[in-house]
Amino acid sequence: MTLRIDIPDETFRSILAKAFGNTAFVTGFVITVLILAMAVVSYVWTPFDVTRLVIADKTQGPSLAHWFGTDHFGRDILSMIMVGARNSIAVALVAVGIGMGVGVPLGAFAAARGGLVDEALMRINDLVFAFPALLSAIMITAIFGPGAVNAIIAIGIFNIPVFARVTRAGALAIWPREFILAARAAGKSSTQISIEHVLPNIATLLMVQGTIQFALGILAEAGLSYLGLGAQPPMPSWGRMLFDAQTRMVVAPWMAIFPGMAIVVTVLGLNLLGDGIADILDPKSRRLR
């Protein structure tokens, strides 16, 4: 008996042609690559040292010396945005990894078992989902104190039920298919079927959701840092930069404009990238929000 697994008919070359013909994908890809490159470059070079305070240069406007101006401590804002990018990306990436690493197996297991097990897991899932990342961060901070690690834990916990729901929904649509019945007839266990047949067929769904959650993770990290629950000084953070700028909007508006633009452009790029991937690999899944 031959088992059939849904594999796209497009060759790698045709997928590339479709990808670079998709405006959303190309725009999102270019923005994402530029942000990632900026974060990587910041490990070896920044225009100025972000930990050096130069009070004589405080709140200077954009110039040839400081393209994005300086903050109230005389630090170069461009350099801080570059270093802040790697912090935001690292937090969001690890948080999404936690969400996928725990949520995907839970969702697949719930769909495979069904019945009371499925119901119990989903109700626990709903309970966790009721606590947003901000509330989780506040509770964790009250116990362990503020910091990037606690922000990662809070955002990661919030991502678990998201991926569990998406995985379960996608898996439930696959389980009734004929090739799954054939795999059962061949004597494969539910775990084998989930790993070998179900998850590969919802990989596109998870990839798109992962991109969207990555963007939301960056946004959540900025929000937590703005409230003082994320990365702590002297480590620059986009959210912390916005917090420092809120009382200086009149005298130094660039302190808020450029970090705000960095957040907006990054989130926009990742969302466009996710939409583009959805259109290319699974035209029926244009939006998963």
Side-chain angles (χ1 to χ4, degrees):
M1 183 179 294
T2 303
L3 302 181
R4 183 176 66 84
I5 301 177
D6 287 350
I7 299 176
D9 295 330
E10 294 91 349
T11 62
F12 180 70
R13 184 175 299 177
S14 64
I15 292 177
L16 281 180
K18 186 184 293 186
F20 287 100
N22 186 290
T23 304
F25 176 84
V26 172
T27 305
F29 180 79
V30 170
I31 293 174
T32 302
V33 168
L34 289 177
I35 296 297
L36 290 174
M38 181 176 65
V40 171
V41 169
S42 71
Y43 279 101
V44 296
W45 175 83
T46 54
F48 294 88
D49 184 358
V50 296
T51 61
R52 183 185 177 190
L53 309 183
V54 186
I55 304 302
D57 294 338
K58 68 177 183 178
T59 59
Q60 288 188 0
S63 63
L64 292 177
H66 301 280
W67 289 6
F68 290 177
T70 61
D71 70 356
H72 56 301
F73 289 129
R75 295 173 297 183
D76 182 64
I77 291 178
L78 174 58
S79 301
M80 294 178 67
I81 288 177
M82 292 176 65
V83 177
R86 74 190 190 205
N87 176 66
S88 297
I89 290 172
V91 169
L93 188 62
V94 176
V96 170
I98 292 173
M100 292 190 73
V102 179
V104 171
L106 280 179
F109 179 73
R113 291 299 299 271
L116 291 176
V117 173
D118 179 24
E119 187 69 19
L121 286 175
M122 287 302 101
R123 297 297 72 78
I124 296 173
N125 188 75
D126 292 340
L127 180 63
V128 176
F129 196 70
F131 291 89
L134 176 59
L135 184 57
S136 299
I138 292 174
M139 293 188 296
I140 292 172
T141 300
I143 300 173
F144 301 106
V149 174
N150 295 332
I152 290 173
I153 296 172
I155 300 172
I157 291 174
F158 181 75
N159 279 330
I160 291 174
V162 174
F163 283 103
R165 284 182 171 187
V166 171
T167 302
R168 176 180 176 271
L172 287 176
I174 298 296
W175 274 100
R177 303 286 291 275
E178 294 179 357
F179 64 92
I180 297 296
L181 298 177
R184 282 178 168 175
K188 289 190 176 183
S189 65
S190 297
T191 302
Q192 286 179 302
I193 294 174
S194 295
I195 295 174
E196 297 177 9
H197 303 289
V198 175
L199 290 180
N201 279 282
I202 63 173
T204 299
L205 189 70
L206 297 176
M207 186 185 305
V208 174
Q209 190 64 44
T211 305
I212 293 172
Q213 292 306 123
F214 187 37
L216 294 178
I218 289 178
L219 199 59
E221 189 279 332
L224 294 176
S225 295
Y226 178 85
L227 296 175
L229 304 177
Q232 299 298 297
M235 175 61 70
S237 171
W238 292 345
R240 171 64 67 172
M241 292 173 71
L242 289 177
F243 176 80
D244 292 337
Q246 66 179 347
T247 59
R248 300 173 178 86
M249 289 294 296
V250 176
V251 297
W254 54 85
M255 287 180 59
I257 291 174
F258 292 112
M261 287 178 59
I263 296 172
V264 170
V265 170
T266 302
V267 173
L268 175 63
L270 287 168
N271 276 309
L272 289 174
L273 182 62
D275 287 346
I277 293 174
D279 292 344
I280 294 164
L281 300 181
D282 190 2
K284 295 180 181 179
S285 300
R286 291 190 176 273
R287 285 189 180 273
L288 301 176
R289 297 179 182 81

